[in-house]
Amino acid sequence: MNCTVDKDKIRLDVFIADSFGVSRSNAKSCIEGAGVSVNGVLRFKSGYELRIGDVVDFEVPKPRELEIKAENIPLDIVYQDAYFAVINKPQGMVVHQASSYQKNDTLVNALLYNLDSLSSINGVIRPGIVHRLDKDTSGLIVVAKNDEAHKSLAGQIEKKTARRIYVGLCDGNFKEDSGSVDAPIARSKKDRKKMAIVEGGRRAVTHYTVLKRYGKYTLVRFELETGRTHQIRVHSASIHHPIVGDSVYGGSCALYDNGQLLHAQKLILKHPHTGEEMMFECPIPDHFQKVLNKLDNSLK
């Protein structure tokens, strides 16, 4: 299928998205992956500027059939009933598949094997998933087992009645014992794989309290008021105290170099059916505790 350009200096990915009915991200993937023919010449840059009269040949890719398989992956199930479950996710586990990650070792693959039902609200890729944790963030994540529970739990998070409390080891010595970061977050304009403080982005609020000081490092309790992608990691970096091990956002890796030392330790919510307030807590994982033990020994 080909189409003739009728505007001057339009980006190739924008033209394909507008003319062929695909998303801009899909257009970009096609261009950078296999190339797109412009006047018979393959172009591999999404930002290639088209001129009036250029002829673009593009075949709309067929949608990939999605089939998320149940996999026998052990899970630490902290709690479950007929309505929801709380899982202690290990560091290194991706929550669900995406265009950038299509292996069958995600939390969703494990949930399909270990739980008898999952809500359908988020479709095939993210059944049961009410909120996310980054791959290298460990700790508690709530999973809905039916649509009634999903709506209730998602509503609690949106209305800020559910509480999510994390513990993280940060670079540097915090000046204050407690405080808040209220700064909008959006996709970074410099690196699309990262998030950043961006004027006009979505409001994001993180509250923090110092738990222990180690001189060059500080153990901090974080509580989310909002739940933006990479929120704690971005906010910590923005006040010059990035999470240890978080090389993406400038964290040091001398103590630990296998992902950020951030753990979702406590979750407080109301039961989606009975309304009873429930609290769940899980211990700091071994990989994180070993670093803290080393720091504690250095203080002796």
Side-chain angles (χ1 to χ4, degrees):
M1 183 185 297
N2 61 57
C3 195
T4 303
V5 179
D6 59 2
K7 292 181 182 178
D8 206 21
K9 294 185 178 181
I10 185 171
R11 287 173 57 104
L12 180 56
D13 56 352
V14 172
F15 179 79
I16 288 175
D18 292 344
S19 302
F20 296 92
V22 300
S23 71
R24 189 167 168 183
S25 61
N26 283 343
K28 180 179 179 181
S29 296
C30 292
I31 296 165
E32 296 179 355
V36 170
S37 174
V38 179
N39 301 325
V41 178
L42 283 178
R43 301 295 180 182
F44 293 90
K45 291 186 178 180
S46 300
Y48 178 79
E49 283 193 350
L50 298 170
R51 302 286 182 172
I52 293 175
D54 284 347
V55 177
V56 177
D57 287 288
F58 182 74
E59 291 297 327
V60 178
K62 294 180 180 180
R64 183 174 64 92
E65 290 188 12
L66 298 175
E67 182 183 358
I68 307 300
K69 299 178 180 178
E71 297 288 350
N72 186 4
I73 301 169
L75 285 179
D76 181 2
I77 302 174
V78 176
Y79 173 87
Q80 76 163 315
D81 60 20
Y83 293 88
F84 76 106
V86 176
I87 311 297
N88 181 12
K89 185 188 83 70
Q91 186 197 46
M93 176 180 273
V94 173
V95 170
H96 60 79
Q97 290 187 2
S99 58
S100 59
Y101 192 91
Q102 297 180 10
K103 296 181 181 179
N104 287 315
D105 59 358
T106 70
L107 176 63
V108 166
N109 294 111
L111 291 172
L112 288 169
Y113 184 89
N114 287 278
L115 301 187
D116 56 5
S117 64
L118 291 169
S119 67
S120 62
I121 287 176
N122 273 336
V124 176
I125 294 290
R126 297 181 292 161
I129 301 302
V130 178
H131 66 107
R132 292 177 61 255
L133 289 178
D134 295 336
K135 174 186 175 184
D136 287 326
T137 298
S138 58
L140 298 177
I141 183 169
V142 63
V143 175
K145 296 182 72 175
N146 58 51
D147 289 356
E148 175 195 342
H150 194 122
K151 290 174 183 176
S152 172
L153 294 166
Q156 290 180 51
I157 291 174
E158 183 180 359
K159 294 173 184 176
K160 305 177 180 63
T161 56
R163 296 176 62 193
R164 290 167 291 164
I165 298 165
Y166 296 67
V167 60
L169 186 66
C170 296
D171 283 322
N173 193 349
F174 280 60
K175 292 181 180 179
E176 302 85 9
D177 288 334
S178 62
S180 299
V181 182
D182 185 343
I185 290 176
R187 188 71 57 184
S188 170
K189 295 178 181 178
K190 295 180 180 179
D191 183 347
R192 301 299 294 175
K193 294 181 180 180
K194 295 171 62 175
M195 307 302 287
I197 305 297
V198 178
E199 186 176 350
R202 300 181 71 187
R203 187 175 185 230
V205 182
T206 305
H207 307 290
Y208 63 86
T209 303
V210 169
L211 296 176
K212 193 165 186 178
R213 299 178 185 276
Y214 294 101
K216 293 182 179 180
Y217 306 98
T218 308
L219 187 65
V220 180
R221 174 187 186 271
F222 295 99
E223 182 162 359
L224 292 176
E225 186 173 316
T226 55
R228 311 304 176 211
T229 301
H230 299 179
Q231 180 173 317
I232 292 175
R233 299 165 62 191
V234 172
H235 275 175
S236 298
S238 75
I239 58 172
H240 310 295
H241 294 293
I243 306 294
V244 169
D246 189 1
S247 59
V248 173
Y249 292 103
S252 66
C253 295
L255 277 177
Y256 188 78
D257 63 357
N258 192 31
Q260 65 272 5
L261 289 179
L262 183 63
H263 178 63
Q265 188 176 46
K266 187 180 293 188
L267 181 64
I268 303 170
L269 50 81
K270 290 184 177 179
H271 191 283
H273 185 66
T274 67
E276 174 193 359
E277 184 169 275
M278 305 179 77
M279 184 184 79
F280 306 96
E281 192 165 2
C282 62
I284 290 174
D286 290 344
H287 73 277
F288 194 159
Q289 190 60 55
K290 286 178 182 178
V291 175
L292 296 181
N293 291 344
K294 182 178 179 179
L295 289 173
D296 284 331
N297 290 332
S298 71
L299 295 178
K300 294 178 181 178

